[in-house]
Amino acid sequence: MLIVLWAAALWDVVRSQFANANDKLVWVLVVLFAPVLGMLFYFLAGRKNKINQ
């Protein structure tokens, strides 16, 4: 289950556009190197920084 959520977080980061170009790189690194906490932080805080299309 955690692997699916981790993959979903990583996929969402990769396919999304962010206001700041460095945000995408930071979120990819956070999700990759801290899988459980990074995934939680991204779903709780990171999605707010995305540019909605």
Side-chain angles (χ1 to χ4, degrees):
M1 180 67 177
L2 283 176
I3 293 173
V4 173
L5 290 173
W6 174 80
L10 190 59
W11 178 254
D12 193 52
V13 171
V14 169
R15 70 178 181 90
S16 298
Q17 292 182 348
F18 291 87
N20 186 351
N22 292 329
D23 286 349
K24 181 182 278 196
L25 176 63
V26 170
W27 280 115
V28 166
L29 292 175
V30 168
V31 171
L32 282 176
F33 291 115
V36 176
L37 290 177
M39 169 190 62
L40 288 173
F41 286 148
Y42 176 70
F43 282 130
L44 293 175
R47 293 180 62 136
K48 296 175 187 173
N49 296 335
K50 290 182 0 180
I51 296 175
N52 293 329
Q53 296 181 6

